[in-house]
Amino acid sequence: MRFTAEQRLDDGVLEREFTLGEIPGILWTPGSEPAPLILIGHPGGFHKRLPRLVARARHYAAEYGFAAAAIDAPGCGDRPRSAADEQTGADLRRAKEAGEPIEEILEAFIVPMVDKAVPEWRTILDALLSLPEIGGPVGYEGMNSIGIRLAMVEPRVSAAVFFGMSFVPELLREEARRVTVPLQFLLQWDDEGNDRQQALDLFDTFGAQEKTLHANLGGHTGTPWFEVDDAARFFTRHLK
C-alpha cells in the first residue's frame, strides 16, 4: 500500500489517498488509535469521493472514533472502464429509454463486478489491518451485492449496514442466507428506482439472527442524516 496524498481536515480527521496495485482508495482516521475499521462501499458506476459517502466517513471518524476506508470498484471512479463496461452502460440506457426490462443486463454487470471486487476488498483489508492506526474489528457499509459476498466469505467482517436495493441477482440472494453477522438494513419507502417488496424479501432472506430494518419515507437519495448516527451506534455496539 502506497499513500499518495494526505491532509488534516478541519474536523481533525486525517484523510489519506492510497493505491494498492491498480486499486485506488481513501483512508480516514481519527486522532485516537488504534481504531476499529468501517469499509464503505459505493454504488456501481460511482466514485469513492461520492459526497454523501465522504460525509459519512468523516462523521464516523470525527464523532465516533472509527477509521473508514473506501475504494473504487472495478470499472468505477478513477479506474478504467472496459469495453464490456461501456457496452453494459449503453444497453442499460437503451433498455430504460425503451421501457424494457433491465434485470438481465444488471445481472450480467453485477455478478462479474462482485467476483472482482470482493477479492480486492480482502486484499485492501489485509493491508489496512497491518497499519498501527487500525485496530479492528471490521464493519462493512454499502450496497447489497458486494456486501453480501464480502460478509459471507470474510470472517473479519463483524457487522454490516446495507442500503436496501431491490435488484440483487439470484446467486447473491442465495448467498444472503449465509450472512449471519448482525446487520442493519436501510430502506427508502418511496424509492422510485427500486421495488419495495423485493427489498423486503431480501431483508427476510438474510440468515442473521440479529437484523434490523429501518424504513424511511422519501426517494432514493433521501435517507435522513440521523440514520448515520444510528448506524454509528450500531457499529459501536458490535465493533467496540
Side-chain angles (χ1 to χ4, degrees):
M1 176 173 284
R2 183 170 65 92
F3 289 102
T4 57
E6 72 171 60
Q7 59 176 327
R8 181 71 66 178
L9 305 174
D10 55 14
D11 52 12
V13 173
L14 180 62
E15 178 187 273
R16 286 175 287 175
E17 297 184 14
F18 64 82
T19 58
L20 182 60
E22 63 181 23
I23 310 167
I26 307 174
L27 174 65
W28 297 267
T29 49
S32 57
E33 57 182 59
L37 175 65
I38 301 174
L39 306 176
I40 303 182
H42 60 72
F46 285 83
H47 195 284
K48 61 186 177 298
R49 283 206 175 273
L50 187 67
R52 59 184 184 271
L53 182 159
V54 173
R56 296 176 75 96
R58 291 181 58 175
H59 192 67
Y60 289 148
E63 301 298 328
Y64 292 92
F66 289 106
I71 62 174
D72 281 330
C76 301
D78 292 326
R79 301 182 67 173
R81 292 172 60 83
S82 67
D85 294 332
E86 297 291 354
Q87 185 60 53
T88 297
D91 290 344
L92 277 172
R93 289 189 292 272
R94 178 194 55 75
K96 287 180 178 179
E97 291 171 359
E100 298 172 355
I102 61 173
E103 285 77 10
E104 288 188 9
I105 301 171
L106 285 173
E107 182 155 357
F109 168 72
I110 290 172
V111 173
M113 184 180 70
V114 170
D115 289 343
K116 296 175 185 175
V118 169
E120 291 186 348
W121 266 122
R122 301 186 78 182
T123 300
I124 290 292
L125 186 54
D126 289 340
L128 291 174
L129 291 179
S130 72
L131 299 175
E133 58 268 42
I134 307 295
V138 180
Y140 174 84
E141 173 184 284
M143 309 311 291
N144 294 331
S145 294
I146 291 174
I148 288 170
R149 174 73 58 78
L150 186 63
M152 183 189 73
V153 302
E154 178 49 72
R156 292 171 292 185
V157 172
S158 301
V161 173
F162 291 129
F163 292 89
M165 303 288 287
S166 61
F167 181 77
V168 173
E170 186 60 33
L171 170 65
L172 294 166
R173 286 181 176 268
E174 287 302 313
E175 292 181 1
R177 301 181 189 279
R178 297 165 57 189
V179 173
T180 58
V181 298
L183 65 88
Q184 192 163 284
F185 191 87
L186 302 180
L187 174 64
Q188 285 302 103
W189 203 248
D190 307 300
D191 191 333
E192 62 281 2
N194 289 294
D195 184 283
R196 183 193 303 163
Q197 189 58 54
Q198 287 186 17
L200 292 171
D201 291 343
L202 176 62
F203 172 77
D204 194 45
T205 298
F206 284 108
Q209 292 302 302
E210 180 186 336
K211 55 182 178 181
T212 306
L213 173 66
H214 287 205
N216 291 283
L217 298 178
H220 184 67
T221 60
T223 303
W225 181 255
F226 63 74
E227 289 288 4
V228 181
D229 286 306
D230 205 76
R233 288 189 289 269
F234 167 82
F235 282 128
T236 297
R237 290 197 301 276
H238 296 289
L239 305 185
K240 291 189 175 183

